[in-house]
mmCIF file of all heavy atoms in Angstrom:
data_model
loop_
_atom_site.group_PDB
_atom_site.id
_atom_site.type_symbol
_atom_site.label_atom_id
_atom_site.label_comp_id
_atom_site.label_asym_id
_atom_site.label_seq_id
_atom_site.Cartn_x
_atom_site.Cartn_y
_atom_site.Cartn_z
ATOM 1 N N ARG B 953 83.817 105.802 103.391
ATOM 2 C CA ARG B 953 82.620 106.038 102.566
ATOM 3 C C ARG B 953 82.129 104.731 101.892
ATOM 4 O O ARG B 953 80.922 104.544 101.761
ATOM 5 C CB ARG B 953 82.942 107.006 101.306
ATOM 6 C CG ARG B 953 81.814 107.387 100.485
ATOM 7 C CD ARG B 953 82.253 108.252 99.230
ATOM 8 N NE ARG B 953 81.219 108.796 98.544
ATOM 9 C CZ ARG B 953 80.570 108.069 97.528
ATOM 10 N NH1 ARG B 953 80.902 106.808 97.238
ATOM 11 N NH2 ARG B 953 79.558 108.636 96.871
ATOM 12 N N ALA B 954 82.960 103.888 101.506
ATOM 13 C CA ALA B 954 82.535 102.603 100.916
ATOM 14 C C ALA B 954 81.761 101.682 101.916
ATOM 15 O O ALA B 954 80.788 101.029 101.637
ATOM 16 C CB ALA B 954 83.784 101.768 100.460
ATOM 17 N N PHE B 1011 76.121 91.980 90.320
ATOM 18 C CA PHE B 1011 76.948 91.498 89.255
ATOM 19 C C PHE B 1011 78.113 90.680 89.814
ATOM 20 O O PHE B 1011 78.475 89.579 89.369
ATOM 21 C CB PHE B 1011 77.423 92.582 88.351
ATOM 22 C CG PHE B 1011 78.167 92.118 87.199
ATOM 23 C CD1 PHE B 1011 77.556 91.606 86.105
ATOM 24 C CD2 PHE B 1011 79.629 92.306 87.177
ATOM 25 C CE1 PHE B 1011 78.329 91.136 85.069
ATOM 26 C CE2 PHE B 1011 80.293 91.902 86.136
ATOM 27 C CZ PHE B 1011 79.708 91.272 84.991
ATOM 28 N N ARG B 1034 71.643 81.739 92.302
ATOM 29 C CA ARG B 1034 71.937 82.824 93.238
ATOM 30 C C ARG B 1034 70.775 83.824 93.214
ATOM 31 O O ARG B 1034 70.334 84.288 94.340
ATOM 32 C CB ARG B 1034 73.261 83.496 92.866
ATOM 33 C CG ARG B 1034 73.812 84.442 93.914
ATOM 34 C CD ARG B 1034 73.332 85.879 93.897
ATOM 35 N NE ARG B 1034 73.819 86.678 95.024
ATOM 36 C CZ ARG B 1034 73.633 87.913 95.137
ATOM 37 N NH1 ARG B 1034 72.788 88.589 94.322
ATOM 38 N NH2 ARG B 1034 74.077 88.608 96.178
ATOM 39 N N ILE B 1100 66.010 85.153 82.094
ATOM 40 C CA ILE B 1100 66.253 85.068 83.497
ATOM 41 C C ILE B 1100 65.540 86.131 84.200
ATOM 42 O O ILE B 1100 64.983 85.928 85.353
ATOM 43 C CB ILE B 1100 67.772 85.149 83.765
ATOM 44 C CG1 ILE B 1100 68.438 83.857 83.242
ATOM 45 C CG2 ILE B 1100 68.099 85.214 85.284
ATOM 46 C CD1 ILE B 1100 67.972 82.504 83.865
ATOM 47 N N ARG B 1101 65.521 87.326 83.722
ATOM 48 C CA ARG B 1101 64.873 88.460 84.432
ATOM 49 C C ARG B 1101 63.330 88.273 84.426
ATOM 50 O O ARG B 1101 62.676 88.583 85.419
ATOM 51 C CB ARG B 1101 65.294 89.790 83.792
ATOM 52 C CG ARG B 1101 66.651 90.246 84.185
ATOM 53 C CD ARG B 1101 67.163 91.574 83.666
ATOM 54 N NE ARG B 1101 68.552 91.790 84.144
ATOM 55 C CZ ARG B 1101 69.265 92.771 83.689
ATOM 56 N NH1 ARG B 1101 68.751 93.654 82.787
ATOM 57 N NH2 ARG B 1101 70.499 92.995 84.242
ATOM 58 N N GLU B 1121 64.530 75.215 84.632
ATOM 59 C CA GLU B 1121 65.336 74.055 84.345
ATOM 60 C C GLU B 1121 65.168 73.743 82.914
ATOM 61 O O GLU B 1121 66.054 73.293 82.128
ATOM 62 C CB GLU B 1121 64.859 72.881 85.170
ATOM 63 C CG GLU B 1121 65.340 72.938 86.625
ATOM 64 C CD GLU B 1121 66.883 72.822 86.754
ATOM 65 O OE1 GLU B 1121 67.528 72.240 85.949
ATOM 66 O OE2 GLU B 1121 67.407 73.426 87.753
#
Side-chain angles (χ1 to χ4, degrees):
R953 184 183 186 279
F1011 183 75
R1034 195 270 177 181
I1100 292 299
R1101 287 182 176 170
E1121 286 297 331

